[in-house]
Amino acid sequence: MTETLRGMATGALPLDQSALDLLPQRASTRYFRRLLIEAGTLPQIHVFQHELTLHVAALAATLERPTGNKLRRFYRWAILPKLHRRYRDHDRDLSLEAFHGQRGHLAAVVRFLAWLDARDLTVGDLDQRTFDRYIARVRTREPVEHFVRWATRLRLAGDLSTNVRAARNTTSNMTEEELWHAIDVLLDDEGVELDVRVAGLFVLLYAQILGRAVSMTRDQIDATTERVTVRFGVTPVVLDDAVGNLVRRQLSAPPRRGYAAGDSDWLFEGLSPGRHMTAAYIRLRLTEIGIRTRVSRETRMNLLAMRMPAAVVADVIGIGNHTADRHKNKAGGTWSDYPGLRN
């Protein structure tokens, strides 16, 4: 890092992203990269996605050349388009959890490809019996099966069968009374950090995905002396006075960063330059006080779906109509299609 800084300062190294790409991609490098971006020295990029691409190149270099090329193709054509649709197309970088998740999935694929290389096998040489024996021995199976399905579609592998991934069980096991108890804790307990209370209330009261809640910006909030409104979806939501007061406090809280002057655009500012707080941190703090975000959000979604038309739920909390309708059917909501005209 010191040599890179000296090289940038003296002109020996270009003052661009490529100079940082030569460094080991650790948390310190990521912090330095974001610091330069936040200062306007380097152009804006999606740092986690950029780092993931560098990581794939480094992984491919550890494999035999033909095998490494297959890994690069798999990342480019099977993984990257999905990440673009979910993140880049919405002008968002990967979350920290998604970044680590993708690294873990790629590591499982690399172990599989290295296993093939060690036996002088290619994916095209693989038969069903050999593949089944490998899958039976490993704990992380789904990424390997994803790779094999992709290779089969492209005729890089034979007609291999893989297990169909079971649908995630999202059935709520939380009662409405338990949900309101958790809400009361966040409203009243001054021993819980303000960031955690506000983000948690957005999940428990307004069914926000925690990752979306922590990435909210200040321009989504309109706070006056009379009321506070928040724009989760299309239509702003007027907050209850108790929640609104906490949001006002969050807006006026001292900045967390010490690397730059001025205000942050994030409602929940993180310690890393230009980044918001991580969902993992908020989830951990909520779990410590007995609040499970996934179950709590599922419970709130079902309650909203039972009591409001699906189109209104989608409009207010910022989800798709199909998702809202699915929750309505799951929760047993009786609302018919919402009229085209609204009062």
Side-chain angles (χ1 to χ4, degrees):
M1 182 72 76
T2 303
E3 291 301 318
T4 300
L5 279 170
R6 183 179 295 111
M8 286 180 165
T10 59
L13 289 175
L15 192 57
D16 59 19
Q17 302 286 358
S18 64
L20 299 181
D21 293 348
L22 299 176
L23 295 172
Q25 298 303 304
R26 297 190 288 255
S28 57
T29 306
R30 188 183 310 142
Y31 184 94
F32 182 51
R33 191 191 295 272
R34 286 182 173 150
L35 189 62
L36 293 178
I37 291 173
E38 188 71 5
T41 305
L42 294 181
Q44 287 283 346
I45 63 169
H46 292 151
V47 174
F48 275 135
Q49 184 171 306
H50 181 78
E51 190 174 327
L52 186 64
T53 300
L54 295 176
H55 181 64
V56 171
L59 289 176
T62 67
L63 300 168
E64 297 293 335
R65 186 179 181 88
T67 309
N69 288 338
K70 288 185 178 64
L71 178 67
R72 293 186 184 93
R73 290 177 63 186
F74 174 63
Y75 173 71
R76 181 176 181 181
W77 300 112
I79 295 179
L80 206 53
K82 293 181 179 179
L83 295 180
H84 285 174
R85 287 193 297 270
R86 185 170 182 181
Y87 295 99
R88 193 191 67 175
D89 292 353
H90 299 281
D91 197 27
R92 294 189 296 134
D93 195 6
L94 277 67
S95 65
L96 178 64
E97 291 173 303
F99 173 71
H100 285 304
Q102 289 296 332
R103 282 179 58 118
H105 290 175
L106 287 163
V109 174
V110 169
R111 287 194 295 271
F112 170 62
L113 293 175
W115 181 83
L116 290 176
D117 279 347
R119 287 156 180 77
D120 292 325
L121 296 174
T122 68
V123 179
D125 297 329
L126 203 60
D127 58 46
Q128 188 68 52
R129 182 179 179 183
T130 304
F131 176 62
D132 289 343
R133 288 179 62 186
Y134 178 85
I135 287 295
R137 294 170 51 194
V138 297
R139 299 178 63 180
T140 308
R141 302 177 181 180
E142 202 281 330
V144 177
E145 292 173 335
H146 179 201
F147 174 82
V148 168
R149 286 193 295 270
W150 168 80
T152 300
R153 284 197 304 272
L154 269 64
R155 302 184 183 278
L156 300 174
D159 189 14
L160 300 173
S161 298
T162 59
N163 295 319
V164 178
R165 188 178 182 183
R168 181 184 293 171
N169 180 14
T170 57
T171 303
S172 171
N173 60 352
M174 185 182 199
T175 67
E176 185 174 359
E177 181 179 356
E178 290 170 333
L179 178 66
W180 282 109
H181 173 73
I183 290 169
D184 288 340
V185 169
L186 295 178
L187 285 173
D188 301 331
D189 192 345
E190 292 292 335
V192 180
E193 297 162 73
L194 181 60
D195 312 84
V196 176
R197 296 169 71 187
V198 175
L201 286 168
F202 285 169
V203 175
L204 273 61
L205 284 172
Y206 306 106
Q208 293 300 293
I209 297 172
L210 187 56
R212 288 186 60 185
V214 298
S215 64
M216 291 181 64
T217 53
R218 289 171 177 262
D219 60 9
Q220 292 178 252
I221 313 291
D222 182 19
T224 67
T225 55
E226 292 80 21
R227 67 180 189 177
V228 177
T229 59
V230 179
R231 182 167 37 83
F232 297 115
V234 176
T235 303
V237 178
V238 179
L239 302 186
D240 176 85
D241 287 345
V243 182
N245 288 335
L246 290 176
V247 172
R248 285 192 184 95
R249 287 170 55 187
Q250 178 68 22
L251 289 170
S252 60
R256 293 166 57 88
R257 56 181 177 168
Y259 51 83
D263 295 328
S264 170
D265 292 332
W266 301 114
L267 179 60
F268 304 98
E269 185 181 21
L271 294 176
S272 185
R275 292 290 292 173
H276 52 74
M277 296 184 75
T278 65
Y281 174 76
I282 300 291
R283 183 179 295 109
L284 175 63
R285 295 291 291 113
L286 289 171
T287 302
E288 289 173 349
I289 58 175
I291 297 176
R292 295 173 293 166
T293 54
R294 190 184 300 277
V295 173
S296 300
R297 178 178 181 269
E298 184 78 8
T299 301
R300 170 55 68 195
M301 280 290 296
N302 290 339
L303 291 172
L304 291 173
M306 284 193 296
R307 296 168 183 174
M308 292 193 297
V312 175
V313 175
D315 181 48
V316 170
I317 68 174
I319 60 174
N321 288 325
H322 176 74
T323 302
D325 197 57
R326 177 167 52 83
H327 278 276
K328 181 199 73 172
N329 295 332
K330 180 179 177 180
T334 57
W335 287 92
S336 58
D337 289 340
Y338 193 54
L341 294 176
R342 296 178 55 188
N343 294 330

PDB file of all heavy atoms in Angstrom, residues 20 63 70 74 96 113 139 149 185 285 292:
ATOM      1  N   LEU A  20      -4.662   0.264  -8.210  1.00  0.00           N
ATOM      2  CA  LEU A  20      -5.177  -0.426  -7.024  1.00  0.00           C
ATOM      3  C   LEU A  20      -5.474  -1.893  -7.317  1.00  0.00           C
ATOM      4  O   LEU A  20      -5.441  -2.725  -6.409  1.00  0.00           O
ATOM      5  CB  LEU A  20      -6.448   0.270  -6.521  1.00  0.00           C
ATOM      6  CG  LEU A  20      -6.281   1.734  -6.099  1.00  0.00           C
ATOM      7  CD1 LEU A  20      -7.606   2.298  -5.592  1.00  0.00           C
ATOM      8  CD2 LEU A  20      -5.214   1.865  -5.023  1.00  0.00           C
ATOM      9  N   LEU A  63      -6.020 -22.490 -11.806  1.00  0.00           N
ATOM     10  CA  LEU A  63      -6.466 -23.712 -12.465  1.00  0.00           C
ATOM     11  C   LEU A  63      -5.703 -23.928 -13.764  1.00  0.00           C
ATOM     12  O   LEU A  63      -5.029 -23.025 -14.272  1.00  0.00           O
ATOM     13  CB  LEU A  63      -7.970 -23.624 -12.764  1.00  0.00           C
ATOM     14  CG  LEU A  63      -8.896 -23.443 -11.557  1.00  0.00           C
ATOM     15  CD1 LEU A  63     -10.300 -23.086 -12.019  1.00  0.00           C
ATOM     16  CD2 LEU A  63      -8.912 -24.703 -10.701  1.00  0.00           C
ATOM     17  N   LYS A  70     -13.044 -21.872 -18.509  1.00  0.00           N
ATOM     18  CA  LYS A  70     -14.442 -22.236 -18.259  1.00  0.00           C
ATOM     19  C   LYS A  70     -14.986 -21.479 -17.051  1.00  0.00           C
ATOM     20  O   LYS A  70     -16.149 -21.057 -17.040  1.00  0.00           O
ATOM     21  CB  LYS A  70     -14.562 -23.748 -18.040  1.00  0.00           C
ATOM     22  CG  LYS A  70     -14.383 -24.590 -19.288  1.00  0.00           C
ATOM     23  CD  LYS A  70     -14.648 -26.055 -19.004  1.00  0.00           C
ATOM     24  CE  LYS A  70     -14.521 -26.901 -20.281  1.00  0.00           C
ATOM     25  NZ  LYS A  70     -13.156 -26.895 -20.830  1.00  0.00           N
ATOM     26  N   PHE A  74     -18.161 -19.033 -17.130  1.00  0.00           N
ATOM     27  CA  PHE A  74     -19.277 -19.246 -16.202  1.00  0.00           C
ATOM     28  C   PHE A  74     -19.599 -17.962 -15.458  1.00  0.00           C
ATOM     29  O   PHE A  74     -20.774 -17.579 -15.334  1.00  0.00           O
ATOM     30  CB  PHE A  74     -18.898 -20.359 -15.215  1.00  0.00           C
ATOM     31  CG  PHE A  74     -19.897 -20.577 -14.114  1.00  0.00           C
ATOM     32  CD1 PHE A  74     -21.186 -20.995 -14.385  1.00  0.00           C
ATOM     33  CD2 PHE A  74     -19.529 -20.379 -12.782  1.00  0.00           C
ATOM     34  CE1 PHE A  74     -22.105 -21.209 -13.360  1.00  0.00           C
ATOM     35  CE2 PHE A  74     -20.436 -20.582 -11.761  1.00  0.00           C
ATOM     36  CZ  PHE A  74     -21.722 -21.000 -12.048  1.00  0.00           C
ATOM     37  N   LEU A  96     -22.537  -6.377   1.139  1.00  0.00           N
ATOM     38  CA  LEU A  96     -21.423  -7.139   1.708  1.00  0.00           C
ATOM     39  C   LEU A  96     -21.787  -8.616   1.798  1.00  0.00           C
ATOM     40  O   LEU A  96     -20.969  -9.494   1.492  1.00  0.00           O
ATOM     41  CB  LEU A  96     -21.070  -6.594   3.095  1.00  0.00           C
ATOM     42  CG  LEU A  96     -19.947  -7.313   3.846  1.00  0.00           C
ATOM     43  CD1 LEU A  96     -18.629  -7.179   3.095  1.00  0.00           C
ATOM     44  CD2 LEU A  96     -19.812  -6.758   5.264  1.00  0.00           C
ATOM     45  N   LEU A 113     -13.615 -27.844  -9.848  1.00  0.00           N
ATOM     46  CA  LEU A 113     -12.782 -27.823 -11.050  1.00  0.00           C
ATOM     47  C   LEU A 113     -11.357 -28.287 -10.754  1.00  0.00           C
ATOM     48  O   LEU A 113     -10.740 -28.977 -11.575  1.00  0.00           O
ATOM     49  CB  LEU A 113     -12.781 -26.408 -11.634  1.00  0.00           C
ATOM     50  CG  LEU A 113     -14.123 -25.914 -12.188  1.00  0.00           C
ATOM     51  CD1 LEU A 113     -14.021 -24.466 -12.631  1.00  0.00           C
ATOM     52  CD2 LEU A 113     -14.600 -26.801 -13.332  1.00  0.00           C
ATOM     53  N   ARG A 139     -20.250 -30.618   1.094  1.00  0.00           N
ATOM     54  CA  ARG A 139     -21.341 -29.984   1.833  1.00  0.00           C
ATOM     55  C   ARG A 139     -21.998 -28.866   1.019  1.00  0.00           C
ATOM     56  O   ARG A 139     -23.203 -28.648   1.118  1.00  0.00           O
ATOM     57  CB  ARG A 139     -20.814 -29.424   3.158  1.00  0.00           C
ATOM     58  CG  ARG A 139     -20.225 -30.494   4.066  1.00  0.00           C
ATOM     59  CD  ARG A 139     -19.681 -29.894   5.343  1.00  0.00           C
ATOM     60  NE  ARG A 139     -20.711 -29.263   6.142  1.00  0.00           N
ATOM     61  CZ  ARG A 139     -20.496 -28.668   7.312  1.00  0.00           C
ATOM     62  NH1 ARG A 139     -19.264 -28.591   7.783  1.00  0.00           N
ATOM     63  NH2 ARG A 139     -21.484 -28.131   7.981  1.00  0.00           N
ATOM     64  N   ARG A 149     -25.193 -27.487 -14.530  1.00  0.00           N
ATOM     65  CA  ARG A 149     -26.373 -27.196 -15.359  1.00  0.00           C
ATOM     66  C   ARG A 149     -26.010 -26.225 -16.480  1.00  0.00           C
ATOM     67  O   ARG A 149     -26.449 -26.381 -17.626  1.00  0.00           O
ATOM     68  CB  ARG A 149     -27.498 -26.623 -14.496  1.00  0.00           C
ATOM     69  CG  ARG A 149     -28.189 -27.647 -13.622  1.00  0.00           C
ATOM     70  CD  ARG A 149     -29.486 -27.100 -13.034  1.00  0.00           C
ATOM     71  NE  ARG A 149     -29.246 -25.993 -12.106  1.00  0.00           N
ATOM     72  CZ  ARG A 149     -29.057 -26.153 -10.798  1.00  0.00           C
ATOM     73  NH1 ARG A 149     -29.055 -27.374 -10.268  1.00  0.00           N
ATOM     74  NH2 ARG A 149     -28.867 -25.116 -10.015  1.00  0.00           N
ATOM     75  N   VAL A 185     -40.282  -2.752  21.857  1.00  0.00           N
ATOM     76  CA  VAL A 185     -38.888  -2.731  22.310  1.00  0.00           C
ATOM     77  C   VAL A 185     -38.101  -1.684  21.535  1.00  0.00           C
ATOM     78  O   VAL A 185     -37.357  -0.878  22.106  1.00  0.00           O
ATOM     79  CB  VAL A 185     -38.241  -4.121  22.152  1.00  0.00           C
ATOM     80  CG1 VAL A 185     -36.730  -4.044  22.372  1.00  0.00           C
ATOM     81  CG2 VAL A 185     -38.863  -5.107  23.131  1.00  0.00           C
ATOM     82  N   ARG A 285     -27.315  -7.045  15.632  1.00  0.00           N
ATOM     83  CA  ARG A 285     -27.764  -6.300  16.811  1.00  0.00           C
ATOM     84  C   ARG A 285     -29.222  -6.596  17.130  1.00  0.00           C
ATOM     85  O   ARG A 285     -29.605  -6.704  18.302  1.00  0.00           O
ATOM     86  CB  ARG A 285     -27.568  -4.800  16.580  1.00  0.00           C
ATOM     87  CG  ARG A 285     -26.116  -4.374  16.447  1.00  0.00           C
ATOM     88  CD  ARG A 285     -25.383  -4.517  17.795  1.00  0.00           C
ATOM     89  NE  ARG A 285     -25.891  -3.514  18.743  1.00  0.00           N
ATOM     90  CZ  ARG A 285     -26.574  -3.805  19.839  1.00  0.00           C
ATOM     91  NH1 ARG A 285     -26.826  -5.058  20.168  1.00  0.00           N
ATOM     92  NH2 ARG A 285     -26.998  -2.843  20.634  1.00  0.00           N
ATOM     93  N   ARG A 292     -35.882 -11.402  15.053  1.00  0.00           N
ATOM     94  CA  ARG A 292     -35.450 -12.059  13.818  1.00  0.00           C
ATOM     95  C   ARG A 292     -36.065 -11.314  12.640  1.00  0.00           C
ATOM     96  O   ARG A 292     -37.284 -11.310  12.459  1.00  0.00           O
ATOM     97  CB  ARG A 292     -35.869 -13.522  13.814  1.00  0.00           C
ATOM     98  CG  ARG A 292     -35.187 -14.368  14.888  1.00  0.00           C
ATOM     99  CD  ARG A 292     -35.757 -15.754  14.951  1.00  0.00           C
ATOM    100  NE  ARG A 292     -37.144 -15.740  15.420  1.00  0.00           N
ATOM    101  CZ  ARG A 292     -37.957 -16.783  15.316  1.00  0.00           C
ATOM    102  NH1 ARG A 292     -37.540 -17.896  14.769  1.00  0.00           N
ATOM    103  NH2 ARG A 292     -39.197 -16.694  15.775  1.00  0.00           N
TER     104      ARG A 292
END
